[in-house]
Amino acid sequence: MKRLHVIVNIILIVVAFLLQSMLFDNFSFASVRPNLLLIITVMSGFMNGKKEGILVGFGCGLIWDLFYNDLLGFYALIFLIIGYINGRFHRLFFDQDVRLPLILVGLSDLSYGMIVCVTQFFLRGHFSFWTYLTKVMLPEVLYTVIIMLLVYPIMTTLNSRIRDFEQRSSGKFV
Amino acid sequence: MGRLRGIKLKSRHLLIIFIAVCIVLMGLSLLSSKTRGPLRYIAGYTVVPMQKGFNKLGGWASDFTQNFQTIKELRTENKKLQQQIDDLTVENGELALNQKELTRLEELFKLDQNYGDYPKVGARVIASNTSNWFNSFTIDKGKKDGIRVNMNVIAGSGLVGIVTEVGPNWSTVRSIIDDTSYVSGMMLTSGEKCMVQGNLKLAASGKMKFEDLPVTENEEGEEVKIEEGEQVVTSYISNKFLQGILIGYVSEIKTDESGLTRYGYLTPAADFSDLQDVLVITQTKAETMKSNNGKD
C-alpha cells in the first residue's frame, strides 16, 4: 500500500466509526444502525484484493474492540477474515457492476451477525434466535445494503482516483 | 503493498500473521486489562475529541430538523401535555399521601442514605455503541475527572449503568438494559431480592426482566403479592451497585413452573431512548463498604 492509500484508508475507518457511533438518531432507522465499518472492509477487499481486505478489516475491527469490547482482537479477527474472503472475489471486480458487491455486503453482514449471535449470545444461554434474526440481523443487513448502494459509487471513484494519482506520481520517477 | 523489506509476502501468510496477532491480543486482554492501556491513550487523544465534535454536529442537525415539526404536531403534543398535567396533578395528590409512608419505609430499609447524598459528577454522552447487539455508550469524563471503573451511572431518577472502562478523558458505560448486564435488585416495599437482567429481546420494547424473586408467605400463609408499579431498587447485597438506587417499576409478574420463584418484567426508570446527560456517582460500592467497616 502506498502512503496516500494508507492515509485515505485510516481516514475512512475513523470517519465510518464516528458516524456509526454517533449518538443522534437521524442516522439510524428503526433503531438499527448500518454497519459502515463492514462496508469499508468488504469494499477494500473487493476492490483491492485480499491483503488490503485483511489490513483494513483488522483496522476496522480494532477500533471497534478498543471502544466497545472487552476482548481486544475479537472483532478485529472477524473483520479481517471477512476482508480476506471478500478479497478472493477481487478478480470479479468491475466498476460498473454493483450487484455482486451488494450480495457480498449482504452475505458478509449476515455471517457477521451469525457469528456475534453464536459467540456472544448462544454461549451465554440466550437463545431467542428468531428475535435476533428479525429484530437485529435482517434489518441491519437491509439497511447496510441500502447504504452500500449510496457508498459504492463514491468508494469506487475515490479508489480509481487514488490509483491514477499513484500511477502518475510513480511514473515520474521512472 | 506486499513488499515488506524486499520480501514478497503472500496474502495467505499475511492472513495467518494477523490472525495470530488477534489471538495474541485476545489472550493478553484475557490475562490483563492493561493490554489496552497504550492504545486507549492514543484513542483518548485522537478519536474521542472527534467524537465530541461529531456529536455537536449531530445535535445541531437534529435541532435543525426538529424546527420543521409542523404546528399540527405541536398542537397534538400540547393537548397531550395538558392531559398529562391533569394526570400528574391527581398523581401528585396521591404521592403526597404516599410520602409519609415512604419516609417510614425508608427508615425501615435504611434507605436514608439516599443517592442525593452521594457525590456525583455530570457527564455528557458523546457516542453510543456501534453495534446493534449491545447497549453501551461513551461519556466525556475520564480518569482526569476522577471517574473509575465500577462507578454507578444514573440519569434523572433511575439507574443507567456502570462504568466498565476508563480512558484519560472518556469512559465507557454499560447500560443496565444491555444483554450482558445483571443487577441485584430488591422490591422496595417487601425487601425481597431478585436478579434484574438486561435482554436484547426486551430492550426493543423498553423493558427488562427480573428473576429469582422468591415466593414468600406472610404469617397467615398467604402469598405476599407484588403489585404492578412496585419500585425495584438496587439491593444491599450487590457488590458493584450502591444500595437503593431506583432501577424501575414492575410491569408484569408471574410465578414460574416450580412455584418457588417469581419472574416478571419491569420498566426502567431512566429513559434510554434519549440519553444525553448522565450523572456518575463518584463513589464505588467497594469504597462505601470499606469506609463503613472503618467506622465500626
Side-chain angles (χ1 to χ4, degrees), chain B residues 18-185:
Chain B
F18 271 88
I19 289 179
V21 168
C22 287
I23 291 171
V24 169
L25 277 176
M26 279 193 260
L28 284 175
S29 65
L30 275 181
L31 287 174
S32 154
S33 57
K34 281 188 186 129
T35 318
R36 306 152 69 89
L39 284 171
R40 205 189 279 164
Y41 268 84
I42 299 169
Y45 289 107
T46 53
V47 180
V48 171
M50 284 193 267
Q51 270 181 331
K52 283 180 191 170
F54 253 68
N55 198 40
K56 261 191 197 136
L57 210 72
W60 180 78
S62 78
D63 282 348
F64 190 71
T65 46
Q66 269 165 18
N67 285 340
F68 286 95
Q69 266 190 333
T70 57
I71 298 171
K72 207 177 162 191
E73 273 175 68
L74 289 174
R75 273 199 189 132
T76 45
E77 202 182 324
N78 193 17
K79 223 180 217 172
K80 223 190 269 169
L81 288 173
Q82 196 59 48
Q83 179 67 36
Q84 214 173 353
I85 290 174
D86 295 345
D87 291 346
L88 286 173
T89 321
V90 176
E91 209 180 308
N92 197 22
E94 281 174 30
L95 284 175
L97 282 174
N98 287 343
Q99 187 64 44
K100 225 177 184 180
E101 196 185 345
L102 182 71
T103 329
R104 189 178 58 81
L105 288 169
E106 271 181 356
E107 268 169 33
L108 202 63
F109 291 112
K110 296 202 173 78
L111 286 181
D112 54 331
Q113 203 186 12
N114 207 328
Y115 37 101
D117 305 340
Y118 293 130
K120 288 188 291 273
V121 58
R124 189 162 276 261
V125 182
I126 53 167
S128 60
N129 191 334
T130 39
S131 88
N132 297 313
W133 294 91
F134 297 101
N135 228 308
S136 53
F137 53 87
T138 313
I139 55 173
D140 67 347
K141 294 273 165 72
K143 201 174 271 171
K144 281 184 189 164
D145 312 279
I147 310 284
R148 264 155 298 133
V149 172
N150 281 344
M151 281 180 175
N152 297 176
V153 179
I154 59 174
S157 56
L159 183 66
V160 167
I162 191 159
V163 176
T164 50
E165 258 201 272
V166 179
N169 52 357
W170 57 275
S171 358
T172 310
V173 179
R174 186 184 63 218
S175 56
I176 50 168
I177 55 169
D178 185 271
D179 207 87
T180 56
S181 158
Y182 288 86
V183 184
S184 168

Side-chain angles (χ1 to χ4, degrees), chain A residues 1 33 51 68-69 126 140, chain B residues 1 9 128 132 138 179:
Chain A
M1 252 195 282
R33 294 148 187 266
K51 287 176 196 165
Y68 294 110
N69 193 23
H126 291 206
E140 187 184 301
Chain B
M1 181 181 135
L9 205 62
S128 60
N132 297 313
T138 313
D179 207 87

Side-chain angles (χ1 to χ4, degrees), chain B residues 276-294:
Chain B
Q276 289 184 33
D277 295 289
V278 293
L279 290 170
V280 184
I281 299 175
T282 54
Q283 188 180 16
T284 58
K285 181 77 182 240
E287 287 167 4
T288 321
M289 288 193 292
K290 222 180 256 171
S291 65
N292 279 354
N293 287 344

